[in-house]
């Protein structure tokens, strides 16, 4: 590489030895926070991704920069990824629906049939 | 947490753990059935060690490409002609850094720490898109990057967004949405030069001539020479072959270049109306491998700038560090 960069800012930096070994320590890029985005007042906050941050306040600042710079947003939540409790994905079958659950559903109750039967019987 | 069963690569590339080298055939069959049915694989799911390794490699290099790709364009922010072009370029460069962050997060869900990825980039072990080893000499170069390199990246990213790994697909959905702005602002700046003064047209033609070979290199070596990618196709890690993507790019964008009265430095370039496929001269693949292995005009500078940023930013990261924070992986 020639020493002169096309980028005037790069030249001003007086970059060091290209063969220098730089090592980033584990943990240097802080902790991970999950981000939840609210598009309009009254709507749910929806999960949109993560940011790395040293604490919750800065996580909010970074989340605004990363997830609210274009589309509409009225609020954000952040929470440490480690503080999310979730079911084990292996247990997914426990959510399988028993077909005999129409007693939980509006469609499980046929009032019109009963009303019509009652009217006809008169 | 970095403990647990999902770590493929110890920080900085130590070997796979022994038990991960042998996939359980029953689990493998169930995994492949899920993918065949079009289901997405999520971070906590069982996956073959090789699937994890290939995905980390793919997503990590994609992330590095976004970050390094912002360098040649970032150079031009102060010199972009006019206030609106400056604003658009700042917004685009910020998006690219944001894409890098989204992708690093997606790769982290597979168990490799962000620091390990950055270290592998800085040491040269992990690659990034080869096009960014070339310089942006004039403003016309920036318009060629914004229009055609972003267009090529979109072809690739739209294909990958239909892949099998959930976090990568979700990141790409967001990325593709922003890329449509990158493409449009690049096309607009490109047209402005193509329809401008004779000097502007000549500057653009010169940039196109220099960038054409790196653009032809962008999708990688021809299918006839690339190694075993069938498994990756079956696992929906790789969604289209190099030649298919290159053909799709040529089909969409060569007409948009030619309609502006510009030429491309390849006398064989034409669409075969019988096969519907594009024909072109083979770009110099030795040059491609020479550049990707460090021999390009900007490889050293790109890494030097990244090293400088890591070193000079370290005191800020340290000053903000909260010792009570416990590290964890992204959830999704
Ligand atoms: Fe991008
Ligand atoms: Fe882009």
């Amino acid at each position: 590489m020639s020493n002169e960069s096309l980028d005037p800012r790069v030249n001003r930096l007086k970059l060091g030895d290209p063969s220098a070994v730089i090592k980033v320590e584990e943990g240097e890029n802080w902790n991970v926070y999950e981000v939840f985005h609210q598009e309009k007042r009254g709507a749910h906050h929806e999960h949109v991704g993560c940011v790395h941050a040293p604490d919750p306040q800065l996580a909010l600042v970074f989340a605004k920069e990363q997830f609210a710079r274009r589309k509409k947003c009225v609020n954000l939540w952040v929470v440490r990824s480690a503080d999310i409790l979730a079911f084990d994905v292996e247990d997914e079958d426990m959510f399988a629906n028993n077909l005999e659950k129409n007693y939980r559903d509006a469609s499980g109750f046929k009032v019109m049939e009963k009303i019509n039967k009652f009217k006809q019987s008169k | 947490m970095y403990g647990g069963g999902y770590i493929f690569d110890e920080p900085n590339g130590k070997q796979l753990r022994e038990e991960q080298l042998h996939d359980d055939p029953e689990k493998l069959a169930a995994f492949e059935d899920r993918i065949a049915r079009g289901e997405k694989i999520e971070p906590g799911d069982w996956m073959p060690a090789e699937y994890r390794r290939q995905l980390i490699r793919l997503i990590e290099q994609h992330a590095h490409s976004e970050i390094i790709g912002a360098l040649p364009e970032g150079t031009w922010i102060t010199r972009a002609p006019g206030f609106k072009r400056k604003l658009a370029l700042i917004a685009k460069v910020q998006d690219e850094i944001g894409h890098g962050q989204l992708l690093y997060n997606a790769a982290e869900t597979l168990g490799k720490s962000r620091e390990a990825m950055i270290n592998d980039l800085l040491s040269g072990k992990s690659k990034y898109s080869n096009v960014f080893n070339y310089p942006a000499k004039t403003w016309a170069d920036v318009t060629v990057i914004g229009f055609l390199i972003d267009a090529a990246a979109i072809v690739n990213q739209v294909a990958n967004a239909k892949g099998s790994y959930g976090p990568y697909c979700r990141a790409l959905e967001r990325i593709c949405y922003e890329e449509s702005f990158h493409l449009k602002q690049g096309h607009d700046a490109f047209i402005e030069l193509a329809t401008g003064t004779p000097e502007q047209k000549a500057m653009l033609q010169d940039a196109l001539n220099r960038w054409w070979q790196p653009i032809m290199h962008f999708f990688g070596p021809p299918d006839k020479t690339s190694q075993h990618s069938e498994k990756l196709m079956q696992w929906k890690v790789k969604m289209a072959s190099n030649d298919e993507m290159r053909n799709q790019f040529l089909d969409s964008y060569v007409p948009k270049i030619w309609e502006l009265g510009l030429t491309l430095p390849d006398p064989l370039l034409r669409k075969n109306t019988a096969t519907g496929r594009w024909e072109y001269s083979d770009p110099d693949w030795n040059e491609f491998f020479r550049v990707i292995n460090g021999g390009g005009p900007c490889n050293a500078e790109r890494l030097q700038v990244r090293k400088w940023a890591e070193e000079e930013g370290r005191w800020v990261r340290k000053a903000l560090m909260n010792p009570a924070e416990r590290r964890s992986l992204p959830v999704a």
Side-chain angles (χ1 to χ4, degrees):
Chain A
M1 175 196 123
S2 69
N3 292 327
E4 269 298 274
S5 170
L6 287 163
D7 186 341
R9 296 173 312 164
V10 168
N11 288 325
R12 285 197 293 276
L13 294 177
K14 302 208 174 5
L15 296 171
D17 174 10
S19 60
V21 179
I22 303 291
K23 191 167 175 293
V24 182
E25 299 299 325
E26 279 300 310
E28 228 186 286
N29 276 262
W30 304 320
N31 204 359
V32 186
Y33 287 76
E34 304 294 323
V35 180
F36 299 80
H37 171 282
Q38 190 186 33
E39 200 178 291
K40 56 175 191 277
R41 223 160 253 293
H44 285 292
H45 284 70
E46 279 183 21
H47 181 253
V48 283
C50 316
V51 291
H52 278 239
D55 59 51
Q57 282 72 31
L58 268 170
L60 270 179
V61 172
F62 295 154
K64 177 174 176 292
E65 212 46 53
Q66 173 72 313
F67 295 103
R69 66 172 179 264
R70 193 169 272 122
K71 276 189 172 168
K72 198 167 179 261
C73 178
V74 294
N75 198 2
L76 291 165
W77 289 345
V78 293
V79 59
R80 277 185 196 85
S81 303
D83 291 339
I84 302 257
L85 185 64
F87 284 110
D88 198 313
V89 286
E90 308 254 299
D91 295 336
E92 195 179 302
D93 55 357
M94 76 177 158
F95 295 106
N97 244 323
N98 179 345
L99 293 173
E100 297 304 306
K101 273 193 175 176
N102 62 9
Y103 64 88
R104 282 183 180 273
D105 228 55
S107 66
F109 299 87
K110 312 280 184 212
V111 294
M112 283 317 290
E113 276 173 31
K114 294 191 183 76
I115 291 170
N116 290 336
K117 207 170 152 194
F118 170 72
K119 284 181 177 167
Q120 281 160 15
S121 73
K122 288 224 287 182
Chain B
M1 284 159 287
Y2 289 116
Y6 297 112
I7 295 174
F8 147 67
D9 210 353
E10 297 283 3
N12 294 314
K14 289 186 207 122
Q15 283 305 302
L16 266 179
R17 289 212 308 270
E18 187 55 31
E19 72 266 25
Q20 290 179 307
L21 288 171
H22 309 288
D23 293 323
D24 176 338
E26 241 172 72
K27 286 183 170 170
L28 179 63
F31 168 85
E32 292 185 339
D33 282 349
R34 288 185 63 193
I35 291 182
R37 284 196 300 270
E39 283 180 36
K40 300 287 180 192
I41 305 301
E42 294 296 333
D45 295 352
W46 185 90
M47 60 185 86
E50 184 60 11
Y51 176 82
R52 186 183 299 278
R53 193 179 77 81
Q54 293 288 353
L55 268 176
I56 290 175
R57 197 179 62 101
L58 170 75
I59 303 173
E60 173 182 350
Q61 292 188 17
H62 190 171
H64 294 330
S65 303
E66 302 282 352
I67 302 289
I68 298 290
L71 299 178
E73 287 182 297
T75 295
W76 276 91
I77 289 172
T78 54
R79 293 171 286 167
F83 192 55
K84 189 177 175 191
R85 297 263 178 243
K86 275 188 176 50
L87 284 176
L89 193 55
I90 290 170
K92 178 183 193 284
V93 168
Q94 186 186 24
D95 285 349
E96 304 298 9
I97 300 300
H99 297 171
Q101 304 280 339
L102 293 171
L103 292 163
Y104 281 134
N105 273 318
E108 280 173 279
T109 63
L110 292 158
K112 184 166 180 178
S113 74
R114 179 167 309 201
E115 291 86 351
M117 290 187 265
I118 293 173
N119 284 332
D120 284 348
L121 169 69
L122 298 183
S123 73
K125 181 181 168 215
S126 180
K127 303 296 182 202
Y128 52 87
S129 183
N130 205 36
V131 282
F132 302 122
N133 288 320
Y134 293 89
K137 288 185 173 165
T138 69
W139 173 248
D141 293 57
V142 182
T143 73
V144 170
I145 294 172
F147 178 34
L148 296 172
I149 304 290
D150 278 67
I154 290 171
V155 169
N156 185 40
Q157 290 171 149
V158 167
N160 283 356
K162 299 186 192 82
S164 61
Y165 190 56
Y168 188 40
C169 298
R170 290 190 287 274
L172 285 171
E173 207 177 298
R174 159 81 190 276
I175 288 171
C176 289
Y177 167 76
E178 294 180 345
E179 290 296 349
S180 61
F181 147 69
H182 299 178
L183 179 68
K184 202 67 187 288
Q185 66 86 35
H187 196 190
D188 186 72
F190 187 92
I191 293 168
E192 191 166 308
L193 294 184
T195 59
T197 65
E199 289 82 2
Q200 286 176 317
K201 277 185 227 172
M203 181 170 75
L204 183 58
Q205 185 62 61
D206 169 62
L208 254 188
N209 294 348
R210 283 182 287 108
W211 281 91
W212 191 245
Q213 176 152 289
I215 288 172
M216 290 299 285
H217 285 155
F218 184 86
F219 296 102
D223 295 350
K224 59 178 193 278
T225 64
S226 27
Q227 323 101 314
H228 45 77
S229 57
E230 285 140 53
K231 207 59 189 171
L232 296 181
M233 293 265 206
Q234 187 197 342
W235 286 346
K236 297 186 185 166
V237 172
K238 193 167 173 56
M239 296 304 291
S241 80
N242 298 353
D243 285 341
E244 278 168 45
M245 286 193 286
R246 191 162 21 243
N247 193 66
Q248 199 188 323
F249 169 80
L250 294 172
D251 209 36
S252 303
Y253 295 97
V254 172
K256 290 188 168 68
I257 298 167
W258 282 347
E259 75 184 1
L260 293 166
L262 296 155
T263 61
L264 290 166
D266 178 359
L268 298 184
L269 182 69
R270 67 176 197 105
K271 186 172 179 170
N272 182 326
T273 43
T275 62
R277 295 189 69 84
W278 284 78
E279 292 169 359
Y280 44 83
S281 339
D282 232 5
D284 182 351
W285 290 106
N286 293 329
E287 161 77 1
F288 173 77
F289 289 112
R290 193 182 66 77
V291 173
I292 214 166
N293 287 317
C298 295
N299 303 54
E301 180 185 320
R302 300 284 183 247
L303 290 185
Q304 260 183 305
V305 170
R306 279 301 289 119
K307 285 180 184 175
W308 180 90
E310 286 301 331
E311 269 201 317
E312 297 298 310
R314 176 168 284 136
W315 72 271
V316 180
R317 294 195 299 273
K318 288 243 160 93
L320 291 168
M321 195 70 81
N322 175 359
E325 284 285 324
R326 205 176 79 250
R327 285 301 295 278
S328 53
L329 288 180
V331 178

